[in-house]
Structures are given as structure tokens and as C-alpha cells.
Amino acid sequence: MRVGSILLREATAADIDTLYSFRTLPEVNRWMLRTSVDPDTFRREWLAVPDSETEFSCVAEADGELVAIGFLDIEDGMGQPGMPTGTEAGIGYLVRPEASGRGVASAVARGLVSAAFDHLGIRRVTAGCYADNVASARVLEKVGMRREQHGVQDSWHAELGWVDGYTYAILAEEWAASAANRGPGWPASEMDDRTT
Ligand SMILES: CC(C)(COP(=O)(O)OP(=O)(O)OC[C@H]1O[C@@H](n2cnc3c(N)ncnc32)[C@H](O)[C@@H]1OP(=O)(O)O)[C@@H](O)C(=O)NCCC(=O)NCCS
């Protein structure tokens, strides 16, 4: 999928060392929930994505360089027996520090939300961040997600201890209703659609 100047695509084996190098930088890692990433596990997990029915994580390229990772996992919401399954998607992202502050995460988030609603038929997309992660909260708000929870000291941070967390969500009908407001820099409808 193209989102402005950003290309979102599946990771290949040739990408994995570069992805690992910026995924594990301290300035990136300090905002992630998983703070210890084994290189072999990392490689195995990325190579499994193309065959997964529930994970659609991707890499972002700008001018041929890898600049970000986007995470998209199909999940179940909460509910009683009989609940339709696989109707929610959780998204996330991280940007290579040299490429930050240029709208990359915003483009990735737009692509992930579009992939979930326009191509995977998801009903509700969710995301979470530490409340101190102001840039990430802004990215989620710019893509049209609603802050649904401010959890007071609900989140553990390895350096800071118990801190506040935010959760965000957007429904398919809200995404559809906002379509008229999307201009350049938002995803076009074409993509390699693995669901068909
Ligand atoms: C957080 C992160 C994803 C942002 O990526 P990015 O490509 O720089 O984000 P964008 O440029 O698309 O947008 C960032 C927005 O936050 C704003 N912002 C950044 N720092 C800010 C701050 N300290 N206070 C207020 N707004 C801030 C920017 O101005 C921009 O908003 P705007 O477009 O309205 O001006 C990136 O820094 C990163 O990967 N951090 C480490 C990993 C991480 O935190 N991942 C998310 C986990 S929830």
C-alpha cells in the first residue's frame, strides 16, 4: 500500500537485520511493551507473518530506505459465548529515529487503519500507548482514533514504574464517515489484498 511517499509492504528476509537494528535502539525500545527481543525469535516471527491469518504487520519504506515498522494483529474483543471472533485489530508502529518528526508514523497509522477496515473487514481498531508518549498519542488522534481510556497508573514501565496509559479506538463506520475528509497523504484504495 502507498500512503503519500511511504510504501507499506511485507518484510522480507533481507530486511530483518536492519529492522532489528532500529527496533532494539534504546530510544525506540523505551516506549515498547516488549523490551527484550531475541534476534532469532525476531527473525522467525517476521518470516512467519506472510503465512499468518491474523498478523498483517509490515515495514515502511521511504525513498527505498526502511524507516518504520507497522504492527497489525487481528484479535477478539471481550464478550460472551457466541461473540463473533476476529473482528478487532490492534495496531502499533515504531519509526527509525533518523526518520522521526516527518509524518512517517502518521502515514503508517493511516495505512494500518485502512488495511484493517478497507481490506480485512475489521469492525474496530484499537491501539494503546504510555500517556507520556505524546507523539504516539498525537499520531493516533490524527488518524481519527478516539481516546477511550486514560488508565491511571495502569501500565508498567521498566524505568519509570507504574505510569498512566491511554487506549484508543475507531469503528469501521467512523472510518467510513471520515472518508470525505481524506486528501493526499491518506491511503489509496489499491493494495495487494491477501484476503481475496
Ligand atoms: C512515537 C513515534 C512513533 C512518532 O513517529 P513520527 O514519525 O515522528 O510521528 P509523526 O511525525 O507522524 O507525528 C508525530 C506527531 O506528534 C507531534 N509531537 C511529537 N513530539 C511531541 C511532543 N513532545 N509534544 C507534542 N506533540 C509532539 C508531532 O508534532 C506530530 O504531530 P503533528 O503532525 O500534528 O505536528 C516515533 O517517535 C517512535 O517510533 N518512537 C519510539 C517507539 C514508539 O513510541 N512507538 C509507539 C509505541 S505506542
Side-chain angles (χ1 to χ4, degrees):
M1 178 190 285
R2 286 204 171 271
V3 188
S5 59
I6 301 292
L7 172 68
L8 298 180
R9 61 165 176 79
E10 278 178 353
T12 68
D15 298 325
I16 292 174
D17 288 345
T18 306
L19 298 181
Y20 186 80
S21 70
F22 64 85
R23 166 63 184 86
T24 51
L25 288 172
E27 61 267 49
V28 171
N29 213 25
R30 88 179 290 267
W31 294 111
M32 307 304 291
L33 291 181
R34 195 169 151 194
T35 52
S36 171
V37 187
D38 169 67
D40 295 333
T41 308
F42 186 79
R43 174 173 293 275
R44 198 169 53 248
E45 288 175 348
W46 274 106
L47 293 179
V49 171
D51 295 325
S52 171
E53 303 210 332
T54 56
E55 182 171 2
F56 292 82
S57 296
C58 60
V59 298
E61 254 185 47
D63 300 324
E65 294 284 321
L66 289 173
V67 288
I69 295 174
F71 303 101
L72 195 171
D73 287 284
I74 298 181
E75 300 164 347
D76 297 335
M78 61 171 276
Q80 295 182 330
M83 177 184 71
T85 55
T87 68
E88 284 201 7
I91 63 163
Y93 37 74
L94 60 92
V95 175
R96 196 174 192 158
E98 308 92 278
S100 70
R102 302 204 305 246
V104 172
S106 301
V108 172
R110 290 167 181 173
L112 294 171
V113 174
S114 170
F117 289 136
D118 302 332
H119 301 279
L120 296 169
I122 291 297
R123 190 184 68 83
R124 178 176 150 93
V125 172
T126 63
C129 64
Y130 288 114
D132 280 355
N133 197 344
V134 182
S136 185
R138 174 81 187 123
V139 167
L140 296 172
E141 283 162 15
K142 281 172 64 186
V143 78
M145 298 181 79
R146 170 185 45 255
R147 188 185 300 167
E148 294 190 338
Q149 187 202 17
H150 175 164
V152 177
Q153 292 191 24
D154 68 342
S155 305
W156 175 254
H157 190 282
E159 293 161 24
L160 306 172
W162 289 110
V163 296
D164 291 7
Y166 292 151
T167 56
Y168 284 84
I170 181 171
L171 295 169
E173 60 255 39
E174 293 167 330
W175 175 251
S178 67
N181 304 327
R182 288 179 221 138
W186 289 77
S189 55
E190 320 82 56
M191 69 179 274
D192 172 14
D193 194 338
R194 288 163 43 190
T195 61
T196 54

